[in-house]
C-alpha cells in the first residue's frame, strides 16, 4: 500500500466514516456528510497537493522549456545535433528533475501527513505525543515551579462508552466477511444502568420497522436484514445489534451462543454453495486454539476482537483545533525543517523545494484540522449541553400537606408500604378485622394525628395529577426545600447546579473511585491514571465554584492515586489553601509473617478557598 492509500485509510478512521449507519449523536452528522468527506479525501485532496507543489514553479518550468526549444532550434540552424550539445542536455535534465521532484515531494507530503495524524491519534482519541527525538517527549510548560502533566489533561473524560465500528475480516486473497451493526441502544446521559446490561447480540430477524416522521410529514421505513447472515457471491455479512439485556448477562456467553448459531447457519449454506464459498467458510471455522481455550475457532477469535473494539473509555478534546495547530507547528519545525539536511543541500533549488513541501504540508494539514475540529467541537457541545431532567420528585413532611389531600395519601398502598418498610408506620395497629380503625384510642384518623405529622410523603408513588395538586398547594416550595438529592452522572449534575448554587455550598465531601483493579472502570489502554486524573480535573473545579467563601472540601483517596491527586489539588488551588492530609487506619490485610505487606491506611485530602476560615 502506498503512502496516499495509507493516509486515506487513516483519515477515514479519524473522521469516522468507517462506522455503521447509526442514526443518533455524532453518527447522524457524519453519515450526512460521508459522501462529501469521501470525495474530499480521494479526489480534492490529491489535486490540492499537486497544485500546491507546482504553484510558483510553473513559470520556471515554462521558462526552462522555452530555453530548451530555443537551444534546439539554434542548433539545427547551425547544422549541429541538438542532443549532443551540453546546453540542451543541461536543460533537459533540469526539466526532468523539476517534474520528477514534484512526484517525489508529493509522496513525501503524504508520508508526513500520515505520520503527523498517526502520532496524535490513538484508537478514537487525540493524545498528546509531542515527540522531540526518538522516544523523548516534550510537554507544554508555562514556567511553573512544579508542573503536573498527564496524557489526557486537555480532554474531557466521558467514562466508558461505545465507539461503534464495522469490522472486516479477510479470508484468502479476495474473500471477506463483514461484521455489521444494524441497531444500537445506548444509555442516556452517560449514566450506568443498575438493572440492565448492554451487549452485542446476534441480530434476530423481525418484521420491517415503520416509524412516523413528523418532520417529513410521512412514514419513514427502516429496512432491516431478512436474516443474521447475508451472502453476496463469495462474501457474506453477519449482522449484530447492541441492545439491553437483563442484569447479569455475560457478553462471553452471548458470543458463544452467536458462534453456535452462525456455525449452524454456515454449515447449512455450504451444502449448495460454490467451492470457493465452502473454502471461505471452512477457513472461518478452522481451529485457532489458545492455552486457555483449546476449542477456539477463527470465528470466535474475530468475533471477540470485534466486540472488544467497540467498548472502551473515550475522550472529547477541549480545543482540538488549537491543539493540533500547535502540534503541527512543532512537527514542521522538528521533523521537516531539519538543520542538518539544510547544511548539506548543494543548491538553493533544493531548499526551495523543501520549503514548498512544508507550505503544502501546512496547507493540507490545516484544512484537515479544521474539519476534524468541527466534528470534535460538535461532540463537545453535546457533552457540555445541559441535560434535561428526566424525572423530579419531592419528599414532603405530612405537616406541610393540606388536610384535603392527606386521606388520598394514606390510601396509596405503595406509600404506606414504604413507611412500613422503614419502620415508620404499622398498618396492623390501625385495624380491627378488615376495617381500618381511623380512631384507635384517638378521635382523629391517622392522616390527622399529630404523631404522623412528620411522615415523609414521596411523590414518586403518586400520579402526575396528584403531584401537581400537592406542589401547587405549598407556597414558595423552592424556599421551603432544605435539601436536594440528584441521581446523575456527576459531571452533568455539577453543570446543572452551577448557576443556582454558585458560592452557596458550605462543604463538599467526595469519595471518588480509588482507581484500584476492582473499581470496574474500563480505562483505555495504558492511560489508567491519566483517565482518572482527567475525570477529577473535570469535576473538582466545578465543585469548587459552588463553595462559599469560607467553605471547605474533603476528598477520600487510597494509596493508588493519593500522590497524584494531592499534587493536582495543590496545583489547582495553591499550596496555601491545601492545608492537611488526614490519614486513617483501615482494615489490615497481610502481615510481615505472611510475607505480605499490609495496606493499613487511606487518606482524606483537605483544602479550602480561604485557609483562615478553617476552624482550629
Amino acid at each position: 500500500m502506498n503512502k496516499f492509500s495509507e493516509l486515506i485509510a487513516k483519515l477515514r478512521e479519524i473522521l469516522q466514516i468507517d462506522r455503521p449507519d447509526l442514526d443518533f449523536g455524532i453518527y447522524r452528522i457524519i453519515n450526512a456528510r460521508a459522501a462529501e468527506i469521501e470525495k474530499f479525501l480521494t479526489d480534492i485532496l490529491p489535486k490540492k497537493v499537486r497544485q500546491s507543489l507546482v504553484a510558483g514553479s510553473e513559470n520556471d518550468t515554462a521558462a526552462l522549456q522555452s530555453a530548451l526549444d530555443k537551444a534546439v532550434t539554434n542548433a539545427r540552424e547551425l547544422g549541429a545535433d541538438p542532443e549532443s550539445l551540453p546546453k540542451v542536455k543541461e536543460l533537459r535534465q533540469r526539466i526532468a528533475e523539476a517534474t520528477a521532484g514534484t512526484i517525489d515531494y508529493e509522496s513525501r507530503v503524504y508520508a508526513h501527513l500520515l505520520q503527523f495524524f498517526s502520532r496524535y491519534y490513538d484508537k478514537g482519541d487525540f493524545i498528546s505525543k509531542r515527540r522531540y527525538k526518538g522516544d523523548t517527549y516534550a510537554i507544554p510548560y508555562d514556567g511553573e515551579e512544579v508542573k503536573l502533566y498527564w496524557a489526557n489533561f486537555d480532554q474531557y473524560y466521558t467514562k466508558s462508552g461505545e465507539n461503534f465500528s464495522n469490522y472486516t475480516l479477510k479470508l484468502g486473497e479476495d474473500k471477506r466477511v463483514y461484521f455489521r451493526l444494524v441497531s444500537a441502544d445506548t444509555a442516556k446521559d452517560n449514566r450506568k444502568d443498575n438493572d440492565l446490561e448492554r451487549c452485542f447480540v446476534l441480530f434476530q430477524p423481525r418484521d420491517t420497522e415503520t416509524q412516523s416522521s413528523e418532520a417529513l410529514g410521512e412514514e419513514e421505513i427502516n429496512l432491516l436484514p431478512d436474516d443474521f447472515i447475508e451472502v453476496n457471491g463469495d462474501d457474506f455479512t453477519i449482522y449484530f445489534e447492541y441492545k439491553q439485556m437483563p442484569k447479569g448477562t455475560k457478553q462471553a456467553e452471548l458470543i458463544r451462543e452467536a458462534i453456535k448459531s452462525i456455525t449452524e447457519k454456515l454449515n447449512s449454506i455450504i451444502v449448495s454453495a460454490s467451492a470457493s464459498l465452502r473454502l471461505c467458510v471452512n477457513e472461518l471455522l478452522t481451529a485457532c486454539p489458545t492455552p486457555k481455550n483449546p476449542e477456539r475457532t477463527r470465528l470466535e477469535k474475530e468475533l471477540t476482537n470485534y466486540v472488544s473494539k467497540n467498548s472502551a473509555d473515550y475522550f472529547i478534546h477541549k480545543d482540538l483545533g488549537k491543539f493540533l495547530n500547535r502540534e503541527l507547528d512543532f512537527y514542521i519545525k522538528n521533523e521537516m525543517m531539519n538543520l542538518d539536511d539544510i547544511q548539506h543541500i548543494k543548491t538553493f533549488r533544493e531548499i526551495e523545494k523543501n520549503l514548498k513541501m512544508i507550505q503544502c504540508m501546512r496547507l493540507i494539514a490545516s484544512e484537515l484540522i479544521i474539519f476534524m475540529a468541527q466534528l470534535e467541537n460538535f461532540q463537545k457541545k453535546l457533552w457540555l449541553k445541559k441535560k434535561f431532567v428526566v424525572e423530579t420528585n419531592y419528599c414532603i413532611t405530612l405537616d406541610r400537606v393540606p388536610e384535603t389531600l392527606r386521606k388520598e395519601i394514606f390510601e396509596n398502598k405503595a406509600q404506606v408500604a414504604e413507611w412500613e418498610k422503614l419502620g415508620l408506620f404499622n398498618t396492623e395497629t390501625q385495624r380491627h378485622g378488615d376495617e381500618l380503625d381511623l380512631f384507635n384510642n384517638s378521635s382523629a384518623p391517622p392522616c390527622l394525628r399529630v404523631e404522623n405529622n412528620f411522615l415523609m410523603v414521596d411523590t414518586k408513588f403518586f400520579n402526575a395529577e396528584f403531584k401537581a395538586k400537592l406542589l401547587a398547594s405549598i407556597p414558595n416550595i423552592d424556599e421551603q426545600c432544605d435539601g436536594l438529592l440528584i441521581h446523575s452522572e456527576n459531571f452533568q449534575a455539577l453543570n446543572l447546579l452551577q448557576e443556582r448554587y454558585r458560592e452557596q455550598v458550605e462543604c463538599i465531601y467526595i469519595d471518588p473511585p480509588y482507581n484500584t483493579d476492582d473499581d470496574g472502570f474500563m480505562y483505555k489502554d495504558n492511560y489508567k491514571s491519566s483517565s482518572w486524573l482527567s475525570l477529577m480535573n473535570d469535576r473538582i473545579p466545578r465543585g469548587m465554584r459552588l463553595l462559599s467563601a469560607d467553605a471547605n472540601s474533603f476528598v477520600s483517596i487510597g494509596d493508588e492515586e493519593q500522590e497524584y491527586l494531592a499534587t493536582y489539588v495543590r496545583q489547582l488551588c495553591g499550596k496555601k489553601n491545601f492545608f492537611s492530609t488526614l490519614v486513617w487506619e483501615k482494615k489490615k490485610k497481610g502481615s510481615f509473617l505472611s510475607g505480605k505487606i499490609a495496606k493499613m491506611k487511606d487518606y482524606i485530602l483537605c483544602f479550602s478557598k480561604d485557609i483562615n476560615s478553617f476552624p482550629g
Side-chain angles (χ1 to χ4, degrees):
M1 182 183 292
N2 59 38
K3 291 301 179 184
F4 176 71
S5 299
E6 290 182 43
L7 173 64
I8 296 304
K10 175 58 67 175
L11 292 176
R12 286 191 182 118
E13 177 190 352
I14 294 174
L15 297 173
Q16 300 185 20
I17 59 175
D18 58 347
R19 298 295 190 264
D21 296 328
L22 299 174
D23 191 32
F24 61 86
I26 190 66
Y27 297 102
R28 180 173 295 177
I29 304 300
I30 294 170
N31 291 339
R33 304 192 67 179
E36 180 183 345
I37 297 171
E38 187 67 26
K39 182 179 180 181
F40 175 83
L41 295 181
T42 58
D43 184 26
I44 299 175
L45 186 147
K47 288 180 179 178
K48 284 188 174 236
V49 171
R50 294 187 196 107
Q51 290 171 358
S52 177
L53 288 174
V54 301
S57 63
E58 293 175 339
N59 293 335
D60 293 339
T61 305
L64 290 172
Q65 185 63 49
S66 176
L68 175 62
D69 293 341
K70 186 176 180 180
V72 169
T73 301
N74 291 338
R76 287 173 178 168
E77 288 178 353
L78 295 172
D81 179 10
E83 302 306 323
S84 64
L85 297 178
K87 182 67 173 178
V88 172
K89 291 180 180 179
E90 179 190 352
L91 290 170
R92 288 196 184 281
Q93 183 178 355
R94 291 174 62 184
I95 292 174
E97 287 175 355
T99 307
T102 299
I103 298 173
D104 177 58
Y105 278 99
E106 182 179 345
S107 178
R108 289 169 65 181
V109 167
Y110 295 142
H112 278 297
L113 287 169
L114 175 62
Q115 183 175 349
F116 172 73
F117 287 111
S118 297
R119 176 173 295 181
Y120 292 99
Y121 183 80
D122 180 25
K123 298 178 182 178
D125 297 301
F126 290 92
I127 306 294
S128 182
K129 291 185 176 180
R130 180 184 281 197
R131 190 175 287 111
Y132 180 65
K133 284 185 178 180
D135 294 328
T136 301
Y137 292 86
I139 66 169
Y141 177 62
D142 296 326
E144 301 93 338
E145 179 186 356
V146 176
K147 171 77 171 181
L148 176 64
Y149 181 86
W150 60 96
N152 312 105
F153 84 103
D154 50 2
Q155 301 178 57
Y156 294 109
Y157 170 62
T158 62
K159 289 192 176 179
S160 54
E162 302 80 18
N163 183 26
F164 300 113
S165 62
N166 288 321
Y167 191 87
T168 301
L169 167 63
K170 186 176 180 181
L171 300 175
E173 295 184 359
D174 56 354
K175 307 296 187 299
R176 284 173 173 77
V177 177
Y178 303 96
F179 294 164
R180 294 289 182 266
L181 193 66
V182 295
S183 66
D185 174 40
T186 59
K188 293 181 179 180
D189 306 324
N190 201 45
R191 294 178 300 176
K192 291 189 179 292
D193 298 308
N194 295 322
D195 55 351
L196 293 171
E197 302 280 355
R198 281 181 165 81
C199 303
F200 286 87
V201 299
L202 198 62
F203 170 71
Q204 296 299 316
R206 52 184 179 266
D207 294 336
T208 300
E209 293 182 353
T210 304
Q211 299 174 338
S212 174
S213 174
E214 297 180 2
L216 299 175
E218 58 186 17
E219 287 191 338
E220 179 181 318
I221 298 178
N222 176 28
L223 297 176
L224 296 173
D226 295 327
D227 207 343
F228 61 81
I229 291 184
E230 182 177 84
V231 179
N232 182 16
D234 290 340
D235 297 339
F236 55 90
T237 304
I238 304 175
Y239 294 106
F240 296 87
E241 50 190 330
Y242 187 72
K243 60 189 294 186
Q244 296 180 2
M245 302 295 288
K247 191 70 175 177
T249 303
K250 302 296 184 183
Q251 181 68 69
E253 294 177 1
L254 294 174
I255 291 177
R256 285 193 289 270
E257 293 174 8
I259 290 170
K260 181 180 178 181
S261 298
I262 294 169
T263 302
E264 291 174 354
K265 190 74 173 180
L266 290 176
N267 285 330
S268 66
I269 289 174
I270 62 175
V271 172
S272 58
S274 64
S276 58
L277 182 57
R278 285 199 297 272
L279 288 173
C280 181
V281 171
N282 289 335
E283 185 175 346
L284 187 62
L285 300 180
T286 190
C288 192
T290 66
K292 292 185 178 180
N293 187 1
E295 304 296 325
R296 190 181 73 161
T297 62
R298 175 90 182 271
L299 173 62
E300 182 178 353
K301 172 190 174 184
E302 301 295 347
L303 184 53
T304 302
N305 287 341
Y306 168 64
V307 170
S308 64
K309 285 177 180 292
N310 282 284
S311 298
D313 283 0
Y314 66 99
F315 303 87
I316 300 173
H317 211 286
K318 295 177 179 178
D319 192 345
L320 183 62
K322 180 180 179 180
F323 165 73
L324 285 179
N325 278 308
R326 184 189 70 208
E327 297 306 313
L328 177 61
D329 287 345
F330 183 87
Y331 179 88
I332 288 174
K333 293 172 184 176
N334 197 55
E335 302 285 345
M336 300 181 72
M337 299 181 69
N338 194 311
L339 295 178
D340 292 336
D341 291 344
I342 293 176
Q343 183 178 355
H344 296 95
I345 287 177
K346 297 179 180 180
T347 65
F348 181 77
R349 181 177 295 278
E350 293 180 64
I351 296 177
E352 185 180 31
K353 287 182 179 179
N354 195 55
L355 291 175
K356 195 171 291 295
M357 180 184 68
I358 291 173
Q359 287 178 327
C360 178
M361 167 72 177
R362 179 183 286 278
L363 172 68
I364 303 301
S366 296
E367 288 199 28
L368 291 170
I369 288 171
I370 288 172
F371 193 73
M372 292 174 189
Q374 288 176 343
L375 292 177
E376 195 79 358
N377 287 340
F378 177 76
Q379 293 192 80
K380 185 175 77 170
K381 286 181 179 179
L382 289 178
W383 173 244
L384 294 179
K385 185 179 185 299
K386 287 185 178 177
K387 305 299 186 288
F388 290 110
V389 177
V390 295
E391 184 180 12
T392 303
N393 284 296
Y394 289 79
C395 291
I396 304 170
T397 51
L398 197 61
D399 63 312
R400 301 172 189 268
V401 179
E403 293 183 8
T404 54
L405 298 178
R406 293 188 184 185
K407 186 173 184 296
E408 189 172 348
I409 291 172
F410 274 80
E411 291 174 348
N412 186 303
K413 294 181 180 179
Q415 177 64 88
V416 173
E418 179 74 6
W419 289 335
E420 290 182 326
K421 179 181 177 182
L422 297 173
L424 302 176
F425 189 79
N426 190 340
T427 303
E428 295 303 319
T429 62
Q430 311 291 335
R431 291 183 180 278
H432 285 301
D434 294 330
E435 298 296 326
L436 184 66
D437 182 1
L438 298 181
F439 298 94
N440 190 27
N441 302 321
S442 172
S443 60
C447 59
L448 298 178
R449 293 177 189 166
V450 174
E451 63 265 25
N452 289 334
N453 267 352
F454 298 102
L455 287 173
M456 189 69 71
V457 179
D458 191 339
T459 61
K460 74 177 181 180
F461 296 116
F462 299 85
N463 59 34
E465 181 182 356
F466 179 82
K467 189 188 298 187
K469 287 192 298 183
L470 176 59
L471 297 179
S473 70
I474 301 175
N476 301 320
I477 188 168
D478 282 343
E479 294 181 8
Q480 294 197 48
C481 285
D482 54 4
L484 180 66
L485 178 66
I486 298 178
H487 181 211
S488 167
E489 197 283 327
N490 46 33
F491 179 87
Q492 306 299 342
L494 287 168
N495 277 346
L496 180 68
L497 298 174
Q498 287 300 302
E499 297 304 321
R500 174 65 177 82
Y501 292 97
R502 185 180 293 271
E503 299 183 350
Q504 296 183 46
V505 176
E506 296 180 2
C507 179
I508 291 179
Y509 169 77
I510 63 175
D511 187 13
Y514 284 10
N515 211 5
T516 59
D517 291 335
D518 57 355
D519 281 332
F521 278 71
M522 295 180 288
Y523 291 102
K524 184 184 180 74
D525 295 337
N526 296 320
Y527 301 117
K528 185 173 180 179
S529 290
S530 182
S531 299
W532 189 87
L533 270 170
S534 293
L535 181 146
M536 302 306 292
N537 186 39
D538 293 339
R539 290 152 178 80
I540 288 181
R542 282 172 169 77
M544 290 185 67
R545 288 197 285 269
L546 302 177
L547 293 172
S548 61
D550 57 352
N552 302 293
S553 292
F554 304 89
V555 184
S556 285
I557 195 62
D559 280 319
E560 290 77 11
E561 298 294 346
Q562 185 269 340
E563 68 232 57
Y564 287 145
L565 184 60
T567 303
Y568 167 73
V569 172
R570 286 190 180 94
Q571 186 170 292
L572 178 69
C573 58
K575 290 182 180 180
K576 66 177 182 178
N577 293 329
F578 182 96
F579 56 83
S580 182
T581 299
L582 306 181
V583 181
W584 59 280
E585 185 177 346
K586 62 177 184 177
K587 58 185 178 181
K588 303 180 181 68
K589 289 184 179 180
S591 66
F592 284 108
L593 294 178
S594 67
K596 295 180 180 179
I597 298 176
K599 289 186 176 181
M600 300 176 58
K601 61 185 183 304
D602 281 334
Y603 308 86
I604 298 178
L605 308 184
C606 313
F607 52 98
S608 173
K609 274 190 171 182
D610 181 5
I611 189 63
N612 297 319
S613 68
F614 191 72

